[in-house]
Coordinates of all heavy atoms in Angstrom, one line a residue:
M57 N 5.2 1.7 -16.1 CA 5.0 2.3 -15.0 C 5.4 3.9 -15.1 O 6.5 4.0 -15.6 CB 5.7 1.7 -13.9 CG 5.7 2.3 -12.6 SD 6.4 1.2 -11.1 CE 8.1 1.1 -11.7
A58 N 4.7 4.8 -14.6 CA 4.9 6.2 -14.8 C 4.9 6.9 -13.4 O 4.0 6.6 -12.6 CB 3.9 6.8 -15.7
A59 N 5.8 7.7 -13.2 CA 5.8 8.4 -12.0 C 5.0 9.5 -11.9 O 4.9 10.4 -12.8 CB 7.4 9.0 -11.7
L60 N 4.0 9.5 -10.9 CA 3.1 10.6 -10.7 C 3.5 11.7 -9.5 O 3.3 12.8 -9.7 CB 1.7 10.1 -10.2 CG 1.0 9.3 -11.1 CD1 -0.3 8.8 -10.4 CD2 0.6 10.0 -12.4
S61 N 4.5 11.2 -8.8 CA 5.0 11.9 -7.8 C 6.2 11.1 -7.2 O 6.4 10.0 -7.6 CB 4.1 12.3 -6.6 OG 3.7 11.2 -5.9
R62 N 6.9 11.5 -6.2 CA 7.8 10.7 -5.5 C 7.3 9.6 -4.7 O 7.8 8.6 -4.3 CB 8.7 11.6 -4.4 CG 9.5 12.6 -5.1 CD 10.4 13.4 -4.2 NE 9.8 13.5 -2.9 CZ 9.8 14.7 -2.3 NH1 10.5 15.7 -2.7 NH2 9.2 14.9 -1.1
K63 N 6.0 9.7 -4.5 CA 5.2 8.6 -3.6 C 4.3 7.6 -4.5 O 4.3 6.4 -4.0 CB 4.2 9.4 -2.7 CG 4.6 10.4 -1.7 CD 5.5 9.9 -0.7 CE 6.0 10.9 0.2 NZ 6.9 10.6 1.2
L64 N 3.9 8.0 -5.6 CA 3.0 7.2 -6.4 C 3.5 6.9 -7.8 O 4.1 7.7 -8.4 CB 1.7 7.9 -6.7 CG 0.7 7.9 -5.4 CD1 -0.6 8.6 -5.8 CD2 0.5 6.5 -4.9
R65 N 3.2 5.7 -8.2 CA 3.4 5.4 -9.7 C 2.1 4.9 -10.4 O 1.2 4.5 -9.6 CB 4.3 4.1 -9.8 CG 5.9 4.4 -9.3 CD 6.5 5.5 -9.9 NE 7.9 5.8 -9.4 CZ 8.2 6.9 -8.9 NH1 7.2 7.6 -8.4 NH2 9.5 7.0 -8.6
S66 N 1.9 5.2 -11.5 CA 0.7 4.8 -12.1 C 1.1 3.5 -13.1 O 2.1 3.4 -13.8 CB 0.3 5.9 -13.2 OG -0.7 5.4 -14.0
V67 N 0.3 2.6 -13.1 CA 0.4 1.4 -13.8 C -0.7 1.0 -14.7 O -1.9 1.6 -14.5 CB 0.8 0.1 -12.9 CG1 2.2 0.3 -12.3 CG2 -0.3 0.0 -12.0
E68 N -0.6 0.1 -15.6 CA -1.7 -0.2 -16.5 C -3.1 -0.5 -15.8 O -3.0 -1.1 -14.7 CB -1.4 -1.3 -17.5 CG -0.4 -0.9 -18.6 CD 0.0 -2.0 -19.5 OE1 -0.9 -3.0 -19.6 OE2 1.1 -2.0 -20.1
G69 N -4.2 -0.4 -16.4 CA -5.4 -0.8 -15.9 C -6.0 0.2 -14.9 O -6.9 -0.2 -14.0
G70 N -5.5 1.4 -14.9 CA -6.1 2.4 -13.9 C -5.7 2.2 -12.4 O -6.4 2.3 -11.5
R71 N -4.5 1.5 -12.3 CA -4.0 1.4 -11.0 C -2.9 2.1 -10.6 O -2.3 2.8 -11.4 CB -3.4 -0.2 -10.9 CG -4.6 -1.3 -11.1 CD -4.2 -2.6 -11.2 NE -3.3 -2.7 -12.5 CZ -2.3 -3.5 -12.8 NH1 -1.7 -4.1 -11.8 NH2 -1.8 -3.5 -14.0
L72 N -2.8 2.4 -9.2 CA -1.6 3.2 -8.8 C -0.9 2.3 -7.7 O -1.5 1.3 -7.1 CB -2.2 4.4 -7.9 CG -3.1 5.5 -8.6 CD1 -3.5 6.6 -7.8 CD2 -2.2 6.1 -9.8
M73 N 0.3 2.7 -7.6 CA 1.3 1.8 -6.8 C 1.9 2.7 -5.8 O 2.4 3.9 -6.1 CB 2.2 1.1 -7.7 CG 2.7 -0.3 -7.3 SD 3.4 -1.1 -8.6 CE 4.4 0.0 -9.4
F74 N 2.1 2.2 -4.5 CA 2.8 3.0 -3.6 C 3.7 1.9 -2.9 O 3.3 0.7 -2.7 CB 2.1 3.7 -2.6 CG 1.2 2.9 -1.7 CD1 1.5 2.5 -0.4 CD2 -0.2 2.5 -2.1 CE1 0.7 1.7 0.3 CE2 -1.0 1.8 -1.4 CZ -0.6 1.3 -0.2
W75 N 4.8 2.3 -2.3 CA 5.8 1.4 -1.6 C 5.4 1.3 -0.1 O 5.1 2.2 0.5 CB 7.3 2.0 -1.7 CG 8.1 0.9 -1.1 CD1 8.8 0.8 0.1 CD2 8.6 -0.2 -2.0 NE1 9.5 -0.4 0.1 CE2 9.5 -0.9 -1.1 CE3 8.5 -0.6 -3.2 CZ2 10.2 -2.1 -1.5 CZ3 9.1 -1.7 -3.7 CH2 10.0 -2.5 -2.8
C76 N 5.3 0.1 0.2 CA 4.8 -0.3 1.6 C 6.0 -0.8 2.4 O 6.4 -1.8 2.1 CB 3.7 -1.3 1.6 SG 3.2 -1.8 3.3
P77 N 6.4 0.0 3.5 CA 7.6 -0.5 4.2 C 7.3 -1.6 5.1 O 8.2 -2.3 5.6 CB 7.9 0.8 5.0 CG 6.7 1.6 5.2 CD 6.0 1.4 3.9
G78 N 6.0 -1.9 5.4 CA 5.6 -3.0 6.2 C 5.8 -4.3 5.5 O 6.3 -5.3 6.0
Y79 N 5.3 -4.3 4.4 CA 5.3 -5.4 3.4 C 6.6 -5.6 2.8 O 7.1 -6.5 2.2 CB 4.1 -5.3 2.3 CG 4.1 -6.2 1.2 CD1 3.7 -7.5 1.3 CD2 4.4 -5.5 -0.2 CE1 3.5 -8.2 0.1 CE2 4.2 -6.5 -1.1 CZ 3.9 -7.8 -1.1 OH 3.9 -8.6 -2.1
D80 N 7.3 -4.5 2.6 CA 8.6 -4.3 2.0 C 8.4 -4.6 0.6 O 9.2 -5.4 -0.1 CB 9.8 -5.2 2.6 CG 11.0 -4.8 2.1 OD1 11.2 -3.5 1.7 OD2 12.0 -5.7 2.0
G81 N 7.6 -3.9 -0.1 CA 7.2 -4.1 -1.5 C 6.1 -3.1 -1.8 O 5.6 -2.4 -1.1
A82 N 5.7 -3.2 -3.2 CA 4.7 -2.3 -3.7 C 3.3 -2.8 -3.6 O 2.9 -4.0 -3.7 CB 5.0 -1.9 -5.2
H83 N 2.3 -2.0 -3.0 CA 0.9 -2.3 -3.1 C 0.3 -1.6 -4.3 O 0.6 -0.4 -4.7 CB 0.3 -1.8 -1.8 CG 0.5 -2.7 -0.6 ND1 0.9 -4.0 -0.7 CD2 0.5 -2.3 0.7 CE1 1.0 -4.5 0.6 NE2 1.0 -3.4 1.4
Q84 N -0.7 -2.2 -4.9 CA -1.4 -1.5 -6.1 C -2.8 -1.5 -5.7 O -3.3 -2.4 -5.0 CB -1.3 -2.5 -7.3 CG 0.0 -2.6 -7.9 CD 0.2 -3.4 -9.2 OE1 -0.9 -3.4 -10.0 NE2 1.2 -3.9 -9.5
V85 N -3.5 -0.3 -6.0 CA -4.9 -0.1 -5.9 C -5.5 0.4 -7.3 O -4.8 1.2 -7.9 CB -5.2 0.8 -4.7 CG1 -4.8 0.3 -3.3 CG2 -4.5 2.1 -4.9
G86 N -6.7 -0.2 -7.5 CA -7.3 0.2 -8.7 C -8.2 1.5 -8.3 O -8.9 1.4 -7.5
V87 N -8.0 2.5 -9.2 CA -8.7 3.7 -8.9 C -9.6 4.3 -10.2 O -10.3 5.2 -9.9 CB -7.8 4.8 -8.4 CG1 -7.1 4.5 -7.1 CG2 -6.8 5.2 -9.4
E88 N -9.4 3.7 -11.2 CA -10.3 4.2 -12.4 C -11.2 3.2 -12.7 O -11.1 2.1 -12.7 CB -9.3 4.6 -13.5 CG -8.2 5.7 -13.3 CD -7.4 6.0 -14.4 OE1 -7.7 5.4 -15.4 OE2 -6.5 6.8 -14.3
G89 N -12.3 3.7 -13.4 CA -13.4 2.8 -13.9 C -14.4 2.7 -13.0 O -14.3 2.9 -11.9
A90 N -15.3 1.9 -13.5 CA -16.5 1.5 -12.6 C -16.6 0.1 -12.1 O -17.5 -0.4 -11.5 CB -17.9 1.8 -13.3
S91 N -15.5 -0.6 -12.4 CA -15.6 -2.1 -12.0 C -15.5 -2.2 -10.5 O -14.9 -1.4 -9.8 CB -14.2 -2.7 -12.6 OG -13.0 -2.3 -12.1
P92 N -16.1 -3.3 -10.1 CA -16.1 -3.5 -8.5 C -14.6 -3.7 -8.1 O -13.7 -4.2 -8.7 CB -16.9 -4.7 -8.4 CG -17.6 -5.0 -9.6 CD -16.9 -4.3 -10.6
G93 N -14.4 -3.2 -6.7 CA -13.1 -3.5 -6.2 C -12.3 -2.2 -6.3 O -11.1 -2.3 -5.8
C94 N -12.7 -1.2 -6.9 CA -11.9 0.1 -7.1 C -11.9 0.9 -5.8 O -12.9 0.9 -5.0 CB -12.4 0.9 -8.2 SG -11.9 0.2 -9.8
W95 N -10.8 1.4 -5.5 CA -10.6 2.3 -4.2 C -11.0 3.8 -4.7 O -10.7 4.2 -5.7 CB -9.4 2.3 -3.8 CG -8.9 1.1 -3.0 CD1 -8.9 1.0 -1.5 CD2 -8.6 -0.2 -3.3 NE1 -8.6 -0.3 -1.1 CE2 -8.3 -1.0 -2.2 CE3 -8.4 -0.7 -4.6 CZ2 -8.1 -2.4 -2.3 CZ3 -8.1 -2.1 -4.7 CH2 -8.0 -2.9 -3.7
G96 N -11.5 4.6 -3.8 CA -11.7 5.9 -3.9 C -10.2 6.5 -3.7 O -9.4 6.0 -3.0
Y97 N -9.9 7.7 -4.4 CA -8.7 8.2 -4.4 C -8.9 9.7 -4.4 O -9.8 10.3 -5.1 CB -8.0 7.9 -5.7 CG -6.7 8.7 -5.9 CD1 -5.7 8.8 -4.9 CD2 -6.5 9.1 -7.2 CE1 -4.5 9.5 -5.3 CE2 -5.3 9.9 -7.4 CZ -4.3 9.9 -6.5 OH -3.2 10.8 -6.8
N98 N -8.1 10.5 -3.4 CA -8.4 12.0 -3.3 C -7.7 12.8 -4.4 O -7.8 14.0 -4.5 CB -7.8 12.4 -2.0 CG -6.4 12.2 -1.9 OD1 -5.6 11.7 -2.7 ND2 -5.8 13.0 -0.7
G99 N -7.0 12.1 -5.4 CA -6.4 12.8 -6.6 C -5.2 13.6 -6.1 O -4.7 14.2 -7.0
N100 N -4.5 13.3 -5.0 CA -3.4 14.1 -4.6 C -2.2 13.1 -4.7 O -2.0 12.4 -3.7 CB -3.5 14.7 -3.1 CG -2.3 15.4 -2.8 OD1 -1.2 15.3 -3.3 ND2 -2.5 16.3 -1.8
P101 N -1.3 13.2 -5.6 CA -0.2 12.1 -5.7 C 0.8 12.4 -4.7 O 1.7 11.4 -4.5 CB 0.2 12.4 -7.2 CG -0.1 13.8 -7.5 CD -1.3 14.0 -6.8
D102 N 0.9 13.6 -4.0 CA 1.9 13.8 -3.2 C 1.6 13.4 -1.6 O 2.4 13.1 -0.8 CB 2.3 15.3 -3.1 CG 3.1 15.7 -4.3 OD1 3.9 15.1 -4.8 OD2 2.5 16.7 -5.0
A103 N 0.1 13.4 -1.5 CA -0.3 13.1 -0.2 C -1.7 12.2 -0.4 O -2.8 12.6 -0.1 CB -0.6 14.3 0.7
P104 N -1.5 11.0 -1.1 CA -2.7 10.2 -1.4 C -3.5 9.7 -0.2 O -3.0 9.4 0.9 CB -2.1 9.1 -2.2 CG -0.8 8.9 -1.8 CD -0.3 10.3 -1.3
T105 N -4.8 9.6 -0.4 CA -5.8 8.9 0.4 C -6.5 7.8 -0.5 O -7.0 8.2 -1.4 CB -6.8 9.8 1.0 OG1 -6.1 10.7 1.9 CG2 -7.9 9.1 1.8
F106 N -6.6 6.6 0.1 CA -7.3 5.6 -0.6 C -8.4 5.0 0.3 O -8.1 4.9 1.6 CB -6.3 4.4 -1.0 CG -5.4 4.8 -2.0 CD1 -4.0 4.9 -1.6 CD2 -5.6 5.2 -3.2 CE1 -3.0 5.3 -2.5 CE2 -4.6 5.6 -4.2 CZ -3.3 5.7 -3.6
T107 N -9.7 4.8 -0.2 CA -10.6 4.3 0.7 C -11.4 3.1 -0.2 O -11.6 3.3 -1.3 CB -11.7 5.5 1.0 OG1 -12.1 6.0 -0.2 CG2 -11.1 6.4 1.9
P108 N -11.7 2.1 0.7 CA -11.6 1.9 1.9 C -10.1 1.4 2.2 O -9.2 1.7 1.5 CB -12.5 0.7 2.2 CG -12.7 0.0 0.9 CD -12.5 1.0 -0.1
S109 N -10.0 0.6 3.3 CA -8.6 0.2 3.7 C -8.1 -0.6 2.6 O -8.8 -1.3 1.7 CB -8.7 -0.7 5.0 OG -9.5 -2.0 4.8
V110 N -6.8 -0.8 2.7 CA -6.0 -1.8 1.7 C -5.5 -3.0 2.4 O -4.8 -2.9 3.5 CB -4.7 -1.0 1.2 CG1 -3.9 -1.9 0.3 CG2 -5.1 0.3 0.4
L111 N -6.0 -4.1 2.1 CA -5.8 -5.5 2.7 C -5.0 -6.3 1.7 O -5.5 -6.7 0.5 CB -7.1 -6.2 3.1 CG -6.9 -7.6 3.6 CD1 -6.1 -7.6 4.9 CD2 -8.4 -8.0 4.0
V112 N -3.8 -6.7 2.0 CA -2.9 -7.6 1.2 C -2.7 -8.9 2.0 O -2.1 -8.7 3.1 CB -1.7 -6.9 0.7 CG1 -0.9 -7.9 -0.1 CG2 -2.1 -5.7 0.0
T113 N -2.8 -10.1 1.4 CA -2.4 -11.2 2.1 C -1.3 -11.8 1.1 O -1.5 -11.7 -0.1 CB -3.6 -12.3 2.2 OG1 -4.2 -12.6 1.0 CG2 -4.6 -11.8 3.1
Y114 N -0.4 -12.3 1.8 CA 0.9 -12.8 0.9 C 1.6 -13.9 1.7 O 1.3 -14.2 2.8 CB 1.8 -11.6 0.6 CG 2.3 -10.9 2.0 CD1 3.6 -11.2 2.4 CD2 1.6 -10.1 2.7 CE1 4.1 -10.6 3.5 CE2 2.0 -9.3 3.9 CZ 3.3 -9.8 4.2 OH 3.7 -9.1 5.4
N115 N 2.4 -14.6 1.0 CA 3.4 -15.6 1.5 C 4.4 -14.9 2.3 O 5.5 -14.9 1.8 CB 3.7 -16.6 0.5 CG 2.6 -17.4 -0.1 OD1 1.7 -17.8 0.7 ND2 2.8 -17.7 -1.4
G116 N 4.2 -14.8 3.6 CA 5.2 -14.1 4.4 C 6.2 -15.3 4.9 O 5.9 -16.5 4.6
P117 N 7.1 -14.9 5.7 CA 8.0 -16.1 6.2 C 7.4 -17.2 6.9 O 8.1 -18.4 6.8 CB 9.0 -15.3 7.2 CG 8.5 -14.0 7.2 CD 7.4 -13.7 6.3
D118 N 6.3 -17.0 7.6 CA 5.7 -18.2 8.2 C 4.5 -18.7 7.7 O 3.8 -19.5 8.3 CB 5.5 -17.8 9.8 CG 6.8 -17.5 10.6 OD1 7.8 -18.3 10.3 OD2 6.8 -16.6 11.3
A119 N 4.1 -18.1 6.5 CA 2.8 -18.5 5.8 C 2.7 -19.9 5.6 O 3.7 -20.5 4.9 CB 2.5 -17.6 4.7
G120 N 1.7 -20.5 6.0 CA 1.5 -21.9 5.7 C 2.4 -22.9 6.5 O 2.1 -24.2 6.3
K121 N 3.2 -22.5 7.3 CA 4.0 -23.5 8.1 C 3.2 -23.9 9.3 O 2.6 -23.0 10.0 CB 5.3 -22.7 8.5 CG 6.2 -22.6 7.4 CD 7.6 -21.9 8.1 CE 8.5 -21.5 7.0 NZ 9.7 -20.8 7.4
D122 N 3.1 -25.2 9.5 CA 2.3 -25.7 10.5 C 0.8 -25.2 10.7 O 0.3 -24.9 11.7 CB 3.1 -25.5 12.0 CG 4.3 -26.1 12.0 OD1 4.6 -27.3 11.5 OD2 5.3 -25.5 12.5
G123 N 0.3 -25.1 9.4 CA -1.1 -24.5 9.4 C -1.3 -23.0 9.5 O -2.4 -22.6 9.6
A124 N -0.2 -22.3 9.6 CA -0.3 -20.8 9.8 C -1.1 -20.1 8.7 O -0.8 -20.7 7.5 CB 1.2 -20.2 10.0
P125 N -1.8 -19.1 8.9 CA -2.4 -18.5 7.7 C -1.4 -17.6 6.9 O -0.3 -17.4 7.4 CB -3.4 -17.5 8.5 CG -2.8 -17.3 9.8 CD -2.1 -18.5 10.1
P126 N -1.9 -17.2 5.9 CA -1.0 -16.3 5.1 C -0.6 -15.0 5.9 O -1.3 -14.6 6.8 CB -1.9 -15.7 3.9 CG -2.9 -16.8 3.8 CD -3.1 -17.3 5.2
A127 N 0.4 -14.3 5.5 CA 0.8 -13.1 6.2 C -0.1 -12.0 5.7 O -0.8 -12.1 4.6 CB 2.2 -12.8 5.7
I128 N -0.3 -11.0 6.5 CA -1.3 -9.8 6.3 C -0.6 -8.5 6.4 O 0.1 -8.3 7.3 CB -2.5 -9.9 7.3 CG1 -3.2 -11.4 7.1 CG2 -3.4 -8.8 7.1 CD1 -4.2 -11.6 8.2
C129 N -1.0 -7.7 5.5 CA -0.6 -6.3 5.5 C -2.0 -5.6 5.4 O -2.6 -5.6 4.3 CB 0.4 -5.8 4.5 SG 0.8 -4.0 4.7
H130 N -2.4 -4.9 6.4 CA -3.8 -4.2 6.3 C -3.7 -2.8 6.9 O -3.1 -2.6 7.9 CB -4.7 -5.1 7.2 CG -6.2 -4.6 7.1 ND1 -7.2 -5.0 7.9 CD2 -6.8 -3.9 6.2 CE1 -8.3 -4.6 7.6 NE2 -8.2 -3.9 6.4
S131 N -4.0 -1.8 6.0 CA -3.8 -0.5 6.4 C -4.8 0.4 5.9 O -5.4 0.3 4.9 CB -2.4 0.1 5.9 OG -2.5 -0.1 4.4
F132 N -4.9 1.7 6.6 CA -5.6 2.8 5.9 C -4.6 3.7 5.4 O -3.5 3.9 6.1 CB -6.3 3.6 7.0 CG -7.6 2.9 7.6 CD1 -7.6 2.3 8.9 CD2 -8.7 2.7 6.7 CE1 -8.7 1.7 9.4 CE2 -9.7 1.9 7.1 CZ -9.8 1.5 8.4
V133 N -4.6 4.3 4.2 CA -3.8 5.3 3.7 C -4.6 6.6 3.6 O -5.5 6.7 2.9 CB -3.4 4.9 2.2 CG1 -2.4 5.8 1.5 CG2 -2.7 3.4 2.4
T134 N -4.0 7.6 4.3 CA -4.7 8.8 4.5 C -3.6 9.9 4.5 O -2.6 10.0 5.2 CB -5.4 8.9 5.8 OG1 -6.3 7.8 6.0 CG2 -6.3 10.2 6.0
D135 N -3.8 11.0 3.6 CA -3.1 12.0 3.4 C -1.6 11.7 3.5 O -0.8 12.3 4.1 CB -3.3 13.2 4.5 CG -4.7 13.6 4.5 OD1 -5.2 13.8 3.3 OD2 -5.4 13.9 5.5
G136 N -1.2 10.7 2.7 CA 0.2 10.3 2.4 C 0.9 9.6 3.7 O 2.1 9.3 3.8
R137 N 0.0 9.1 4.6 CA 0.4 8.2 5.6 C -0.1 7.0 5.7 O -1.3 6.9 5.4 CB 0.3 8.9 7.0 CG 1.0 10.3 7.1 CD 0.9 11.0 8.2 NE 1.2 10.3 9.5 CZ 2.4 10.0 10.1 NH1 3.4 10.3 9.5 NH2 2.5 9.4 11.2
I138 N 0.7 5.9 6.0 CA 0.1 4.6 6.1 C -0.1 4.2 7.6 O 0.8 4.2 8.4 CB 1.0 3.5 5.5 CG1 1.4 3.8 4.1 CG2 0.4 2.1 5.5 CD1 2.4 3.0 3.6
Q139 N -1.4 3.8 8.0 CA -1.7 3.5 9.3 C -1.9 1.9 9.3 O -2.9 1.4 8.8 CB -3.2 4.2 9.9 CG -3.5 3.6 11.3 CD -4.9 4.2 11.6 OE1 -5.5 4.8 10.9 NE2 -5.3 3.7 12.8
F140 N -1.0 1.3 9.8 CA -0.9 -0.3 9.8 C -1.9 -0.6 10.9 O -1.7 -0.3 12.1 CB 0.5 -0.8 10.0 CG 1.3 -0.6 8.8 CD1 2.4 0.5 8.8 CD2 1.1 -1.3 7.6 CE1 3.2 0.6 7.8 CE2 1.9 -1.0 6.5 CZ 3.0 0.0 6.6
L141 N -2.9 -1.6 10.6 CA -3.9 -2.0 11.6 C -3.3 -3.2 12.4 O -2.2 -3.7 12.1 CB -5.1 -2.4 10.9 CG -5.8 -1.3 10.0 CD1 -6.9 -1.7 9.4 CD2 -6.0 0.0 10.9
A142 N -3.9 -3.5 13.5 CA -3.4 -4.5 14.5 C -3.4 -6.0 13.9 O -2.6 -6.6 14.3 CB -4.3 -4.6 15.7
D143 N -4.1 -6.1 12.8 CA -4.1 -7.6 12.1 C -2.8 -7.7 11.3 O -2.7 -8.9 10.7 CB -5.5 -7.9 11.5 CG -5.8 -7.0 10.3 OD1 -5.2 -5.9 10.3 OD2 -6.6 -7.4 9.6
C144 N -2.1 -6.8 11.0 CA -0.8 -7.0 10.2 C 0.0 -7.9 10.9 O 0.1 -7.9 12.2 CB 0.0 -5.7 10.1 SG -0.9 -4.4 9.1
T145 N 0.7 -8.8 10.1 CA 1.6 -9.8 10.7 C 3.1 -9.4 10.6 O 3.9 -10.2 10.9 CB 1.4 -11.2 9.9 OG1 1.6 -11.0 8.6 CG2 0.0 -11.7 10.2
H146 N 3.3 -8.1 10.2 CA 4.8 -7.6 10.1 C 5.1 -6.7 11.3 O 4.1 -6.4 12.0 CB 5.1 -7.0 8.7 CG 4.0 -5.9 8.5 ND1 3.9 -4.7 9.1 CD2 3.1 -5.8 7.4 CE1 2.9 -3.9 8.5 NE2 2.5 -4.6 7.5
A147 N 6.3 -6.3 11.4 CA 6.8 -5.5 12.4 C 6.3 -4.1 12.6 O 6.3 -3.6 13.7 CB 8.4 -5.4 12.3
L148 N 5.4 -3.5 11.6 CA 4.9 -2.3 11.7 C 3.5 -2.1 12.2 O 2.8 -1.2 12.1 CB 5.1 -1.4 10.3 CG 6.5 -1.1 9.9 CD1 6.7 -0.3 8.6 CD2 7.2 -0.4 11.1
A149 N 2.9 -3.3 12.4 CA 1.5 -3.5 13.0 C 1.3 -2.5 14.0 O 2.1 -2.3 15.0 CB 1.2 -4.8 13.6
G150 N 0.2 -1.7 13.9 CA -0.1 -0.8 14.9 C 0.6 0.7 14.8 O 0.3 1.6 15.7
Q151 N 1.5 0.8 13.8 CA 2.2 1.9 13.8 C 1.7 2.8 12.5 O 1.0 2.2 11.6 CB 3.6 1.8 13.4 CG 4.4 1.0 14.7 CD 5.9 0.8 14.4 OE1 6.5 1.8 14.0 NE2 6.2 -0.4 14.7
T152 N 2.0 4.1 12.5 CA 1.7 5.0 11.5 C 2.9 5.6 10.8 O 3.7 6.2 11.6 CB 0.7 6.1 11.8 OG1 -0.5 5.5 12.3 CG2 0.3 7.0 10.6
V153 N 3.1 5.5 9.5 CA 4.4 6.0 8.9 C 3.9 6.8 7.7 O 2.9 6.5 7.0 CB 5.4 4.8 8.6 CG1 5.7 4.1 9.9 CG2 4.8 4.0 7.5
D154 N 4.9 7.7 7.2 CA 4.8 8.2 5.9 C 4.9 7.2 4.8 O 5.8 6.4 4.9 CB 5.7 9.4 5.7 CG 5.5 10.6 6.7 OD1 4.5 10.8 7.1 OD2 6.4 11.3 7.0
I155 N 4.2 7.5 3.7 CA 4.4 6.6 2.5 C 6.0 7.1 2.1 O 6.2 8.2 1.8 CB 3.5 6.9 1.4 CG1 2.2 6.6 1.7 CG2 4.0 6.3 0.1 CD1 1.1 6.8 0.7
P156 N 6.8 5.9 2.0 CA 8.3 6.5 1.5 C 8.3 6.7 0.0 O 7.5 6.3 -0.7 CB 9.1 5.1 1.9 CG 8.0 4.1 1.9 CD 6.8 4.6 2.3
D157 N 9.2 7.6 -0.3 CA 9.6 7.9 -1.7 C 10.1 6.7 -2.3 O 10.8 5.8 -1.7 CB 10.6 9.0 -1.8 CG 10.2 10.4 -1.2 OD1 9.0 10.6 -1.0 OD2 11.1 11.2 -1.1
W158 N 9.8 6.6 -3.6 CA 10.3 5.5 -4.4 C 11.9 5.8 -4.6 O 12.2 6.9 -4.7 CB 9.7 5.4 -5.8 CG 8.3 4.9 -5.9 CD1 7.1 5.5 -5.6 CD2 8.0 3.5 -6.1 NE1 6.1 4.6 -5.8 CE2 6.5 3.4 -6.0 CE3 8.7 2.4 -6.2 CZ2 5.9 2.1 -6.1 CZ3 8.1 1.2 -6.5 CH2 6.6 1.2 -6.4
E159 N 12.7 4.8 -4.5 CA 14.0 4.9 -4.8 C 14.2 5.1 -6.3 O 13.5 4.5 -7.1 CB 14.9 3.6 -4.2 CG 14.8 3.7 -2.8 CD 15.7 2.3 -2.4 OE1 16.6 2.1 -3.2 OE2 15.7 2.1 -1.2
E160 N 15.1 5.9 -6.7 CA 15.4 6.2 -8.1 C 16.2 5.0 -8.6 O 17.1 4.6 -8.0 CB 16.2 7.5 -8.4 CG 15.2 8.7 -7.8 CD 13.8 8.8 -8.6 OE1 13.8 8.6 -9.9 OE2 12.9 9.1 -7.8
A161 N 15.8 4.6 -9.9 CA 16.7 3.5 -10.5 C 18.0 4.0 -10.9 O 18.3 5.0 -11.2 CB 15.9 2.9 -11.6

């Protein structure tokens, strides 16, 4: 993993990673190459935009309990801000926040 800025990290396979405060973890998006599933990227590591939306399903605290679906983090990332969509199952649903800086190790 290599730092591109305070907001983005580069990982193997042409992927970029940013910290998501709603999910409370890192999201990865593939931005290089011609393989299906790659996101568009504006090339700005300080204020990234990824298109289309970023949709992550994961085992949240209630996932699978009594037939509950997986937890969802769904957002638009535009100019360094994360707009969490209404279908998110975490506390930041419907809010827009800046991509936080990575904490230094």
